[in-house]
Amino acid sequence: MEQTFVILKPSTIQRGLVGQVIDRFQRKGLFIAGIKMMQLDEKILREHYAHLVERPFFPTLVKSMMATPVIVMCLKGKDAVEVVRAMTGATNCRKAAPGTIRGDFGMSGQENIVHASDSVENAVIEINRFFRPEEIFDYTPLTLRAIYAPDELD
Ligand code: IDP
Ligand code: MG
C-alpha cells in the first residue's frame, strides 16, 4: 500500500494539537507505519524546502520549522498521498476549506499545522530523508478488511 510523509509542525506542538491531528488521520483509516519526534536543522530544511530557498520568506520558514521539535509520520493507505493532501487543504489556512486540517485548525499561511508530501515520488524521497529503514514498520492492521473492500486490497 502507498506511503506518504507528514510533519506536525512546531506551531502544532506549541498549540497542543498533536492528538487531534493524528486522530483525523486514524479516523480516516490511514495507518501509522512510522512516527517519531525530532529536532530539524537548517541542513535538512534546505533539502526538504529546496523549491523555496530563493523565496523571501525562506529564513522565517526555517526559523519557524526549528522553533520546537516536530513529529514526523509515515502514513499508509490506498492512494495515501492524494488522500492526505486533500485532508490537509490549501497552503494558506485562511483559504483552506473548512473540514480540512488547515481549514479547521489554522489562520496562517506559514504556520499551517502540517506538511504533507505532494507526489508519490516526493513521498519516497521524504520518507528516506527523515526516517531510517528500520523506523518504518510493515504490519497488517486487523481493521484492514473492514476499511477496504476485497478488490481494493489486491
Ligand atoms: P505546501 O506545504 O502546501 O505543500 P509549499 O508551497 O510547498 O506548500 O510551501 C511549503 C511551506 O512553506 C508551506 O507549508 C508554508 O509553511 C510555507 N510557505 C509557503 N508559501 C508561503 C508564503 O507565501 N509565506 C510564508 N510561508 C509560506
Ligand atoms: Mg509542498
Side-chain angles (χ1 to χ4, degrees), residues 19 22 28 46 50 57 62-63 65-66 77 79 88 93 95 108 119 121 140:
I22 293 177
K28 177 70 176 160
R46 290 189 83 84
F57 60 81
V62 167
K63 196 171 169 219
M65 290 297 289
M66 292 175 21
D79 302 326
T88 296
C93 295
K95 305 258 167 65
S108 167
S119 69
E121 301 74 47
T140 306

Side-chain angles (χ1 to χ4, degrees), residues 144-154:
L144 209 58
R145 285 177 193 289
I147 290 171
Y148 294 102
D151 66 336
E152 292 171 318
L153 289 171
D154 293 342

Side-chain angles (χ1 to χ4, degrees), residues 4 6 13 17-18 20 26-28 31 34 36 60 62 68 88 93 99 105 115 124 138:
T4 191
V6 167
I13 312 289
L17 297 174
V18 169
Q20 290 183 68
Q26 291 200 300
R27 268 175 9 199
K28 177 70 176 160
F31 300 113
K36 65 179 175 180
T60 322
V62 167
T68 70
T88 296
C93 295
F105 290 119
H115 162 82
V124 172
D138 191 16

Side-chain angles (χ1 to χ4, degrees), residues 22-135:
I22 293 177
D23 186 50
R24 291 211 174 195
F25 294 127
Q26 291 200 300
R27 268 175 9 199
K28 177 70 176 160
L30 292 149
F31 300 113
I32 299 173
I35 183 166
K36 65 179 175 180
M37 196 170 206
M38 66 187 291
Q39 176 63 50
L40 303 182
D41 60 22
E42 194 166 339
K43 180 175 177 289
I44 202 164
L45 285 164
R46 290 189 83 84
E47 288 175 21
H48 180 65
Y49 285 136
H51 60 298
L52 299 172
V53 285
E54 302 301 332
R55 302 292 290 274
F57 60 81
F58 186 72
T60 322
L61 175 63
V62 167
K63 196 171 169 219
S64 148
M65 290 297 289
M66 292 175 21
T68 70
V70 297
I71 290 170
V72 293
M73 303 175 72
C74 173
L75 295 175
K76 207 164 174 174
K78 197 167 174 66
D79 302 326
V81 171
E82 191 186 339
V83 167
V84 171
R85 278 294 279 198
M87 290 177 75
T88 296
T91 303
N92 185 331
C93 295
R94 295 191 300 280
K95 305 258 167 65
T100 64
I101 291 168
R102 288 168 171 168
D104 287 354
F105 290 119
M107 280 295 283
S108 167
Q110 178 178 277
E111 307 302 331
N112 58 1
I113 319 296
V114 289
H115 162 82
S117 304
D118 62 6
S119 69
V120 176
E121 301 74 47
N122 281 338
V124 172
I125 291 167
E126 291 172 357
I127 290 162
N128 288 323
R129 177 177 295 136
F130 288 88
F131 285 102
R132 295 194 299 273
E134 64 271 23
E135 292 174 327

